[in-house]
Amino acid sequence: MSISLGLLITVIGLMCTVFGLIIGFFTFSRNRDKDVKSDAAESASITTKLDHIGQSVDSIRIDLKASDQRWTTLSGTVIRIDESTKQAHKRIDKIENKGEV
């Protein structure tokens, strides 16, 4: 039983090809898993950052409402003080006019 050199080289070449395909498939599978893990970690990080930004926006919104309420209160106080000042000036004017007459 003699095997020709060409047949032996062909069989060895086919075995190397199959072995290379198997190694390539396992490498591809492992790298795909790593990519999925890294994508999941990145997605989780982005989600966490977006949640933090959302909480910050909510906090700013609450602060803005409180500030708006303070401005409204202050505005009402200024209006009352202005009216009181006008009445006081009218009374002072009446007192001054009585003194001159």
Side-chain angles (χ1 to χ4, degrees):
M1 172 154 179
S2 82
I3 300 177
S4 70
L5 185 62
L7 182 61
L8 183 63
I9 291 175
T10 304
V11 170
I12 291 174
L14 284 175
M15 287 175 46
C16 287
T17 302
V18 169
F19 186 67
L21 285 173
I22 291 171
I23 289 175
F25 175 75
F26 285 127
T27 303
F28 169 75
S29 178
R30 187 173 52 141
N31 287 339
R32 183 184 60 199
D33 291 343
K34 285 182 181 179
D35 289 343
V36 168
K37 287 179 184 177
S38 68
D39 287 345
E42 184 178 339
S43 177
S45 174
I46 290 171
T47 301
T48 303
K49 289 178 182 179
L50 285 175
D51 288 344
H52 180 68
I53 290 170
Q55 290 172 352
S56 297
V57 168
D58 289 342
S59 174
I60 291 169
R61 187 177 295 130
I62 290 169
D63 290 345
L64 185 61
K65 284 181 182 179
S67 181
D68 187 41
Q69 289 174 349
R70 285 192 301 262
W71 278 108
T72 302
T73 303
L74 183 62
S75 175
T77 303
V78 168
I79 289 171
R80 285 192 303 273
I81 291 172
D82 189 40
E83 290 172 356
S84 177
T85 305
K86 285 181 184 178
Q87 290 175 357
H89 279 291
K90 287 180 183 179
R91 288 192 300 264
I92 291 171
D93 288 342
K94 284 182 184 179
I95 292 172
E96 285 179 352
N97 287 339
K98 285 183 184 179
E100 290 180 4
V101 175

